[in-house]
């Protein structure tokens, strides 16, 4: 263990990187008195981000979680509808379904991409299934061509939790990652950030109208302001202050994604030939945006995941374990979700996987040092 390092540095697992006009924009928002949910940065960020991913509409929200809830409501998902999603995802994917009384149906992960296993999906479709929720785990896109074909064949909506996939592509297209409606997160560790924030994107004029209506307490969208509400809505309005940061970040989106991909390449090289860990893949049709660089211990490893994370921590290197799968969540069992199936791949990932520091602005030297420390502990 390199103890000199341990005392000097801490390498955080992921930090925001604000090296553009963020501060100038926030100051402008304050100076001009536009600090709530109107103002030029909202429009600029909504149009800029939807343009960046290739969607017709972008609707800003307060978080990725609220964007996902709003996307589901806007697409017409209702209480009692079944929605199929990966068990290996972040809890917000499933909670968004619970908020509307929909029924989450879990499917196992693929061993190499860690995204939902399309081959195991169709057997989960029932007469009550309304949609599939695809999640591009840690930045690798799901097999959207296969999902699109399945959804078309079975008359299902394709909803995307894109929180981890800013900058990812399928067949050289960002638009191809979006499905019928997608939700993004701009939490501080995502590929671009507003601190807290999210966005719904869609090509559908109808879904867009719904999203703007529901996110603003279902205020009547035309006619006099009579304070009569026909439906139950939410306040999920993004503020101009958050949008100011987003508009600044967006100018650097390509550079940030390139940086995360360069970092992943350096990790790949630094860890090449080590049969004790599996590293992230990139399918020939995919562009992985490497939100997080994960590694999974193979059966050949003798050290436990938790011990390995501890030793890295002693070297000043912060890591995080992979997600706990949805079928193991007490909250979802209590809610009544069917958690009884077998999900061996997700269980394996959650027991043996963790992610390494993945900030945009990591240096090659830091990555080399992390690889050395990791290989030392594996030995
Ligand atoms: C980060 C994340 C979210 C939630 O985003 P918030 O902005 O933190 O609410 C949802 N789904 C996935 C897969 C995420 O990684």
């Amino acid at each position: 263990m390199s103890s000199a390092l341990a005392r000097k540095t801490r390498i955080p697992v992921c930090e925001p990187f604000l090296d553009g006009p963020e501060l100038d924009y926030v100051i402008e928002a304050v100076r001009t008195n536009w600090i709530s949910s109107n103002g030029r940065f909202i429009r600029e960020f909504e149009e800029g981000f939807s343009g960046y991913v290739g969607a017709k509409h972008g609707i800003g929200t307060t978080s990725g979680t609220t964007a996902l809830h709003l996307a589901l409501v806007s697409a017409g998902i209702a209480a009692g509808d079944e929605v199929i999603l990966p068990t290996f995802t972040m809890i917000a994917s499933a909670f968004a379904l619970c908020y509307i009384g929909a029924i989450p149906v879990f499917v196992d992960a693929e061993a190499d991409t860690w995204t939902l296993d399309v081959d195991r999906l169709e057997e989960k479709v029932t007469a009550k299934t309304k949609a599939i929720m695809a999640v591009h785990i840690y930045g690798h896109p799901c097999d959207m061509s296969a999902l699109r074909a399945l959804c078309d064949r079975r008359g299902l909506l394709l909803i995307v939790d894109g929180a981890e996939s800013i900058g990812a592509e399928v067949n050289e297209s960002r638009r191809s990652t979006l499905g019928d409606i997608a939700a993004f997160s701009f939490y501080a560790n995502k590929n671009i950030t507003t601190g807290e924030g999210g966005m719904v994107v869609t090509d559908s004029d109808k879904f867009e109208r719904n999203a703007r209506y529901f996110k603003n307490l279902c205020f009547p969208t035309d006619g006099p302001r009579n304070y009569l509400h026909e439906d139950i809505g939410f306040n999920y309005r993004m503020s101009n202050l958050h949008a100011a940061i987003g508009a600044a970040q967006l100018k650097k989106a390509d550079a940030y994604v390139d940086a995360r991909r360069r970092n992943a390449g350096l990790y790949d090289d630094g860890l090449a030939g080590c049969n004790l860990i599996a590293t992230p893949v990139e399918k020939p049709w995919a562009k992985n945006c490497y939100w997080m660089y994960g590694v999974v211990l193979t059966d050949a490893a003798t050290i436990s995941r938790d011990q390995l994370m501890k030793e890295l921590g002693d070297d000043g290197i912060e890591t995080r374990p992979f997600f706990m799968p949805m079928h193991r969540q007490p909250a979802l069992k209590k809610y009544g979700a069917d958690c009884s199936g077998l999900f061996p791949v997700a269980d394996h990932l959650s027991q043996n996987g963790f992610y390494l520091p993945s900030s945009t602005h990591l240096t090659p030297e830091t990555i080399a040092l992390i690889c050395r420390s990791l290989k030392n502990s594996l030995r």
Side-chain angles (χ1 to χ4, degrees), residues 37 103 295:
S37 52
I103 301 163
V295 295

Side-chain angles (χ1 to χ4, degrees), residues 266-282:
L266 292 170
Y267 272 128
D268 284 347
D269 293 346
L271 302 172
C274 180
N275 71 333
L276 303 179
I277 47 170
T279 54
V281 298
E282 186 173 56

Side-chain angles (χ1 to χ4, degrees), residues 161-327:
D161 178 347
E164 304 180 357
S165 61
I166 297 172
E169 297 177 6
V170 169
N171 296 325
E172 295 181 5
S173 157
R174 287 196 276 264
R175 186 195 185 96
S176 298
T177 66
L178 302 178
D180 295 306
I181 189 166
F184 286 90
S185 163
F186 307 115
Y187 179 64
N189 66 14
K190 307 293 170 155
N191 282 8
I192 71 170
T193 183
T194 60
E196 299 279 358
M199 200 178 294
V200 173
V201 303
T202 182
D203 283 345
S204 158
D205 298 341
K206 179 176 154 210
F207 293 171
E208 188 238 5
R209 251 191 335 272
N210 289 345
R212 294 208 182 277
Y213 176 62
F214 283 106
K215 89 170 217 188
N216 189 28
L217 298 167
C218 295
F219 271 99
T221 44
D222 48 53
R225 204 168 235 270
N226 57 11
Y227 296 97
L228 285 171
H229 297 255
E230 300 285 338
D231 299 287
I232 295 171
F234 326 103
N235 175 0
Y236 287 168
R237 301 185 302 258
M238 174 180 270
S239 84
N240 197 47
L241 289 168
H242 291 88
I245 297 174
Q249 288 266 295
L250 200 51
K251 295 186 185 300
K252 295 290 189 74
D254 287 332
Y256 291 170
V257 173
D258 287 349
R260 293 216 188 202
R261 286 178 57 77
R262 185 210 56 191
N263 294 345
L266 292 170
Y267 272 128
D268 284 347
D269 293 346
L271 302 172
C274 180
N275 71 333
L276 303 179
I277 47 170
T279 54
V281 298
E282 186 173 56
K283 289 287 169 92
W285 46 264
K287 177 175 176 181
N288 190 338
C289 69
Y290 293 100
W291 171 56
M292 289 290 164
Y293 191 91
V295 295
V296 184
L297 287 172
T298 64
D299 294 339
T302 48
I303 188 170
S304 74
R305 188 266 312 265
D306 293 348
Q307 179 61 24
L308 183 53
M309 287 178 62
K310 186 188 168 303
E311 293 190 11
L312 286 166
D314 291 342
D315 272 357
I317 298 162
E318 254 189 32
T319 57
R320 289 276 186 287
F322 271 12
F323 300 130
M324 183 61 70
M326 298 304 102
H327 69 277

